[in-house]
Amino acid sequence: MEELDPTQYYNNRLASLASLPTSPYSQMFRVSMTFDHYREKFKGLSNGERLAETTVSLAGRVMSKRASGSKLVFYSLESAEGTIQAVSDARSLVGGNFAAVHANIKRGDVVGVSGNPGMSNRGELSIFVKEIILLAPCLYMLPKGGKNRDEQATWRPGKPRNPNAYVLKEQETRYRLRFLDIIVNPEVKFVLETAHSAVNYIRSFLDQRGFREVETAILNSKAGGAAARPFNTHHDASEMDMSLRIAPELQLKQLLVAGYNGVYEVDKQFRNEGMDLTHNPEFTTCEFYSAYSDYHDLMTMTEELLSGLVKKITGGYTVSYHSDGYDSPPVEIDFTPPFRRIEMVKGLEDTMGIELPKDLASEEANEFLKKTCEARGVYCAPPLTTSRLLDKLVGHYLEETCVNPAFIIDHPLIMSPLAKQHRSKPGLTERFELFVNKHELVNAYTELNNPVEQRDRFVQQLKDRQGGDDEAMVLDEDFVKAMEYGLPPCAGWGMGIDRLVMLLTDSLNIKEVLLCPAMKPPEAVPPPNEKGTPQV
């Protein structure tokens, strides 16, 4: 019987391994096939059938160990591809003392097995062990209990799930020791792999339409392309201050100047902002830019991309999402196109029963919005720029109505320093944001391609920055110079991959869908005990 005290177990395991005549940490083990290949090749065996003339080698982690008498041991071996049963019979084991060999193998250990494929009498595909080797011991007790592993392993994106039923529940431990989270909570693997599937679909969608994937710089002398606070650093060799990328937009649009008709990048962005359920300072996006297109074209593309992606990954157009927590019923979010369109200014006026000033860039408009927010109890943190005040009102009155995908369109010029003026609505731009489940997922617009006007807008942003808005854009003369060579009419689009994966996997915290989420420095975080909570 294994001791349940974690510290004693750890010390005992170290002592036991130190007494072995050879190192339990193997140099290598030759695996003849993957678990997926094994299941596919031998799934047609009959109950009780065993291929005595065929020998294969598999490797995995021991997730359960069960003895049947003194001469028979059953193991459940697990890899990223699922579980295979290994059956070891004293009569078949080659070399070594049966009891001694199995005494040294504990739950959590990584082992290699060689043996014959077969089907158990109960119809479970197995490998009947001729040799079993300890490859890498686990020094800790893995948490036990909780939801059935086979049930977890059948969960798929788009369906409701319940992390409250995980074996390892404590979030601090789960996010810091993500490898352990994946080992004991097999559902997490599918959550994290959904991002990979989504990115592959997006790449294929754009490749098929003639876009070229590129890579732009992460370190820049200026952080431009978005209204956000950057991470700043210093390059010692060149004695130059630099910033981590907050968006690749300005560099991607320069490639349209160079003659590319369509470019895209799946990239990491870094913004020096707070962390909450939907924000992480490092996050993944996809941005693309299409020459000779406008925002109407991109709305159509967005509908095609997202509806097709959701159907490809989930099998349908709807996903279940526990917006109010896992203890409340989930909502059904329908990605069936076309998506609803809401004109920003008209939508605000209709919803609030007011008339906004015609000149939103005026001081009078700023005062009007300040008084409106105060009267309506809508708090906006300083600086109280017109752009920030409008954004708060939109968030309070319009975004809250967007559970199913909805485009909020035609933003005021003052909110959109890189977007082209609307061709028929003075003071507005040809821009849209797509909101799903009340959160922004996509931002896109017909791009401004007039360098004189672009410089003027950058100057206005500089005034906002000097007024205390440290998220306002900086003046990027290199980008303006590129525009002066001729930026063709174009439209640009950006989507947060992590938020999309949250929707597809019913994840209420962005950390659930990040392999390595940002965490505050820990006090010493000990490994969890068998109940799934950290040791003390």
Side-chain angles (χ1 to χ4, degrees), residues 240-528:
M240 181 171 64
D241 291 334
M242 304 189 78
S243 299
L244 296 185
R245 170 176 61 202
I246 58 173
E249 175 169 347
L250 303 187
Q251 295 178 66
L252 289 174
K253 283 195 284 194
Q254 291 181 50
L255 291 174
L256 299 190
V257 174
Y260 289 94
N261 285 341
V263 293
Y264 75 93
E265 183 170 13
V266 177
D267 61 5
K268 287 287 188 183
Q269 296 186 24
F270 308 86
R271 299 185 181 179
N272 197 354
E273 301 166 345
M275 294 186 291
D276 58 29
L277 294 179
T278 60
H279 290 86
N280 192 70
E282 174 184 355
F283 58 99
T284 303
T285 68
C286 175
E287 289 200 17
F288 72 75
Y289 293 84
S290 178
Y292 316 113
S293 302
D294 65 10
Y295 79 140
H296 293 293
D297 299 319
L298 267 53
M299 276 189 268
T300 300
M301 283 185 67
T302 302
E303 291 172 336
E304 293 174 354
L305 171 61
L306 288 179
S307 62
L309 186 153
V310 169
K311 187 171 185 181
K312 173 71 173 179
I313 290 181
T314 70
Y317 289 120
T318 61
V319 297
S320 296
Y321 195 81
H322 285 89
S323 299
D324 298 321
Y326 292 112
D327 294 330
S328 300
V331 297
E332 293 294 316
I333 302 174
D334 189 354
F335 282 85
T336 303
F339 302 159
R340 183 165 60 110
R341 287 160 169 73
I342 306 168
E343 295 181 37
M344 179 180 286
V345 172
K346 184 176 185 302
L348 274 179
E349 291 179 334
D350 290 347
T351 303
M352 298 177 65
I354 62 173
E355 183 175 346
L356 292 172
K358 296 300 181 185
D359 183 6
L360 289 171
S362 65
E363 287 296 325
E364 292 77 13
N366 183 260
E367 288 300 318
F368 176 85
L369 290 169
K370 286 178 183 177
K371 293 177 181 178
T372 299
C373 285
E374 183 178 355
R376 304 276 179 137
V378 177
Y379 174 72
C380 179
L384 300 182
T385 62
T386 300
S387 178
R388 290 168 65 89
L389 291 164
L390 278 170
D391 187 61
K392 289 297 181 182
L393 289 173
V394 171
H396 189 80
Y397 288 101
L398 299 184
E399 294 173 18
E400 285 295 309
T401 71
C402 302
V403 177
N404 289 332
F407 295 114
I408 296 179
I409 67 173
D410 300 345
H411 295 50
L413 183 65
I414 198 167
M415 299 179 72
S416 311
L418 297 171
K420 199 171 185 71
Q421 291 195 51
H422 200 285
R423 65 197 76 182
S424 62
K425 300 175 183 177
L428 304 184
T429 60
E430 296 189 351
R431 177 184 174 189
F432 71 80
E433 291 177 288
L434 179 71
F435 285 84
V436 185
N437 193 46
K438 307 177 185 180
H439 292 287
E440 178 195 344
L441 185 63
V442 174
N443 184 28
Y445 35 84
T446 306
E447 300 286 343
L448 176 62
N449 64 336
N450 181 335
V452 176
E453 185 177 351
Q454 182 64 82
R455 182 179 281 109
D456 289 342
R457 293 207 207 167
F458 276 149
V459 169
Q460 180 57 50
Q461 286 283 300
L462 185 60
K463 292 179 181 177
D464 288 345
R465 177 174 284 271
Q466 293 169 343
D469 187 356
D470 56 2
E471 293 185 353
M473 292 188 189
V474 297
L475 173 58
D476 192 324
E477 285 289 357
D478 291 337
F479 173 64
V480 175
K481 184 173 184 178
M483 291 181 68
E484 290 173 339
Y485 280 86
L487 174 64
C490 58
W493 182 97
M495 179 175 70
I497 301 293
D498 306 313
R499 287 187 181 176
L500 173 64
V501 177
M502 287 178 66
L503 292 169
L504 295 173
T505 59
D506 194 16
S507 298
L508 310 189
N509 189 331
I510 194 171
K511 290 182 171 64
E512 291 285 341
V513 304
L514 301 177
L515 184 61
C516 303
M519 303 288 286
K520 293 182 179 179
E523 304 297 331
V525 179

Side-chain angles (χ1 to χ4, degrees), residues 46-65:
S46 303
N47 290 6
E49 184 178 1
R50 177 174 171 180
L51 304 181
E53 302 302 318
T54 302
T55 300
V56 298
S57 298
L58 304 175
R61 187 178 297 276
V62 175
M63 293 308 298
S64 70
K65 176 183 178 182

